[in-house]
PDB file of all heavy atoms in Angstrom:
ATOM      1  N   LYS A 292     -26.064 122.268   3.372  1.00 78.00           N
ATOM      2  CA  LYS A 292     -25.366 123.182   4.258  1.00 78.00           C
ATOM      3  C   LYS A 292     -23.882 123.054   4.131  1.00 78.00           C
ATOM      4  O   LYS A 292     -23.310 122.100   3.729  1.00 78.00           O
ATOM      5  CB  LYS A 292     -25.697 122.746   5.830  1.00 78.00           C
ATOM      6  CG  LYS A 292     -27.220 123.001   6.103  1.00 78.00           C
ATOM      7  CD  LYS A 292     -27.368 122.596   7.421  1.00 78.00           C
ATOM      8  CE  LYS A 292     -27.389 121.159   7.743  1.00 78.00           C
ATOM      9  NZ  LYS A 292     -27.782 120.775   9.194  1.00 78.00           N
ATOM     10  N   THR A 293     -23.216 124.247   4.401  1.00 86.00           N
ATOM     11  CA  THR A 293     -21.769 124.201   4.434  1.00 86.00           C
ATOM     12  C   THR A 293     -21.244 124.788   5.867  1.00 86.00           C
ATOM     13  O   THR A 293     -22.110 125.434   6.448  1.00 86.00           O
ATOM     14  CB  THR A 293     -21.201 125.127   3.258  1.00 86.00           C
ATOM     15  OG1 THR A 293     -21.684 126.443   3.514  1.00 86.00           O
ATOM     16  CG2 THR A 293     -21.580 124.606   1.934  1.00 86.00           C
ATOM     17  N   ILE A 294     -20.101 124.376   6.188  1.00 89.00           N
ATOM     18  CA  ILE A 294     -19.531 124.793   7.420  1.00 89.00           C
ATOM     19  C   ILE A 294     -18.408 125.807   7.134  1.00 89.00           C
ATOM     20  O   ILE A 294     -17.538 125.512   6.226  1.00 89.00           O
ATOM     21  CB  ILE A 294     -18.993 123.590   8.315  1.00 89.00           C
ATOM     22  CG1 ILE A 294     -18.518 124.097   9.650  1.00 89.00           C
ATOM     23  CG2 ILE A 294     -17.956 122.798   7.618  1.00 89.00           C
ATOM     24  CD1 ILE A 294     -18.437 122.958  10.693  1.00 89.00           C
ATOM     25  N   PHE A 295     -18.378 126.947   7.884  1.00 92.00           N
ATOM     26  CA  PHE A 295     -17.301 127.891   7.529  1.00 92.00           C
ATOM     27  C   PHE A 295     -16.332 127.951   8.701  1.00 92.00           C
ATOM     28  O   PHE A 295     -16.450 127.651   9.731  1.00 92.00           O
ATOM     29  CB  PHE A 295     -17.961 129.257   7.597  1.00 92.00           C
ATOM     30  CG  PHE A 295     -18.998 129.578   6.455  1.00 92.00           C
ATOM     31  CD1 PHE A 295     -20.239 128.966   6.384  1.00 92.00           C
ATOM     32  CD2 PHE A 295     -18.519 130.209   5.295  1.00 92.00           C
ATOM     33  CE1 PHE A 295     -21.008 129.135   5.261  1.00 92.00           C
ATOM     34  CE2 PHE A 295     -19.339 130.465   4.262  1.00 92.00           C
ATOM     35  CZ  PHE A 295     -20.575 129.892   4.114  1.00 92.00           C
ATOM     36  N   GLY A 296     -15.076 128.364   8.232  1.00 93.00           N
ATOM     37  CA  GLY A 296     -14.028 128.593   9.213  1.00 93.00           C
ATOM     38  C   GLY A 296     -14.246 129.857   9.962  1.00 93.00           C
ATOM     39  O   GLY A 296     -15.205 130.697   9.639  1.00 93.00           O
ATOM     40  N   ALA A 297     -13.468 130.213  10.894  1.00 94.00           N
ATOM     41  CA  ALA A 297     -13.660 131.327  11.680  1.00 94.00           C
ATOM     42  C   ALA A 297     -13.136 132.665  11.029  1.00 94.00           C
ATOM     43  O   ALA A 297     -13.415 133.764  11.447  1.00 94.00           O
ATOM     44  CB  ALA A 297     -12.838 131.278  13.013  1.00 94.00           C
ATOM     45  N   GLY A 298     -12.380 132.568   9.869  1.00 95.00           N
ATOM     46  CA  GLY A 298     -12.019 133.630   9.165  1.00 95.00           C
ATOM     47  C   GLY A 298     -10.649 134.193   9.382  1.00 95.00           C
ATOM     48  O   GLY A 298     -10.165 133.954  10.531  1.00 95.00           O
ATOM     49  N   THR A 299     -10.063 134.747   8.361  1.00 97.00           N
ATOM     50  CA  THR A 299      -8.641 135.322   8.511  1.00 97.00           C
ATOM     51  C   THR A 299      -8.843 136.764   8.100  1.00 97.00           C
ATOM     52  O   THR A 299      -9.233 137.012   6.936  1.00 97.00           O
ATOM     53  CB  THR A 299      -7.587 134.599   7.719  1.00 97.00           C
ATOM     54  OG1 THR A 299      -7.399 133.318   8.224  1.00 97.00           O
ATOM     55  CG2 THR A 299      -6.235 135.373   7.792  1.00 97.00           C
ATOM     56  N   ARG A 300      -8.561 137.739   8.790  1.00 96.00           N
ATOM     57  CA  ARG A 300      -8.568 139.077   8.390  1.00 96.00           C
ATOM     58  C   ARG A 300      -7.171 139.461   7.868  1.00 96.00           C
ATOM     59  O   ARG A 300      -6.151 139.287   8.490  1.00 96.00           O
ATOM     60  CB  ARG A 300      -8.948 140.044   9.613  1.00 96.00           C
ATOM     61  CG  ARG A 300      -9.045 141.411   9.193  1.00 96.00           C
ATOM     62  CD  ARG A 300      -9.688 142.393  10.169  1.00 96.00           C
ATOM     63  NE  ARG A 300     -11.020 142.033  10.379  1.00 96.00           N
ATOM     64  CZ  ARG A 300     -12.031 142.389   9.628  1.00 96.00           C
ATOM     65  NH1 ARG A 300     -11.915 143.013   8.541  1.00 96.00           N
ATOM     66  NH2 ARG A 300     -13.386 142.103   9.901  1.00 96.00           N
ATOM     67  N   LEU A 301      -7.198 140.009   6.632  1.00 97.00           N
ATOM     68  CA  LEU A 301      -5.971 140.547   6.003  1.00 97.00           C
ATOM     69  C   LEU A 301      -5.874 141.969   6.068  1.00 97.00           C
ATOM     70  O   LEU A 301      -6.795 142.722   5.663  1.00 97.00           O
ATOM     71  CB  LEU A 301      -6.048 139.981   4.480  1.00 97.00           C
ATOM     72  CG  LEU A 301      -4.884 140.574   3.553  1.00 97.00           C
ATOM     73  CD1 LEU A 301      -3.691 139.942   4.022  1.00 97.00           C
ATOM     74  CD2 LEU A 301      -5.265 140.238   2.048  1.00 97.00           C
ATOM     75  N   PHE A 302      -4.748 142.452   6.537  1.00 97.00           N
ATOM     76  CA  PHE A 302      -4.362 143.877   6.476  1.00 97.00           C
ATOM     77  C   PHE A 302      -3.186 144.041   5.436  1.00 97.00           C
ATOM     78  O   PHE A 302      -2.381 143.200   5.400  1.00 97.00           O
ATOM     79  CB  PHE A 302      -3.866 144.223   7.777  1.00 97.00           C
ATOM     80  CG  PHE A 302      -4.848 144.086   8.928  1.00 97.00           C
ATOM     81  CD1 PHE A 302      -4.933 142.977   9.727  1.00 97.00           C
ATOM     82  CD2 PHE A 302      -5.808 145.105   9.186  1.00 97.00           C
ATOM     83  CE1 PHE A 302      -5.967 142.892  10.743  1.00 97.00           C
ATOM     84  CE2 PHE A 302      -6.741 145.110  10.172  1.00 97.00           C
ATOM     85  CZ  PHE A 302      -6.745 143.914  11.048  1.00 97.00           C
ATOM     86  N   VAL A 303      -3.382 145.124   4.674  1.00 97.00           N
ATOM     87  CA  VAL A 303      -2.430 145.484   3.756  1.00 97.00           C
ATOM     88  C   VAL A 303      -1.716 146.739   4.005  1.00 97.00           C
ATOM     89  O   VAL A 303      -2.430 147.761   4.112  1.00 97.00           O
ATOM     90  CB  VAL A 303      -2.983 145.487   2.181  1.00 97.00           C
ATOM     91  CG1 VAL A 303      -2.014 145.767   1.149  1.00 97.00           C
ATOM     92  CG2 VAL A 303      -3.700 144.223   1.947  1.00 97.00           C
TER      93      VAL A 303
END
Side-chain angles (χ1 to χ4, degrees):
Chain A
K292 295 183 287 185
T293 56
I294 185 167
F295 289 82
T299 297
R300 183 165 294 279
L301 173 65
F302 297 95
V303 180

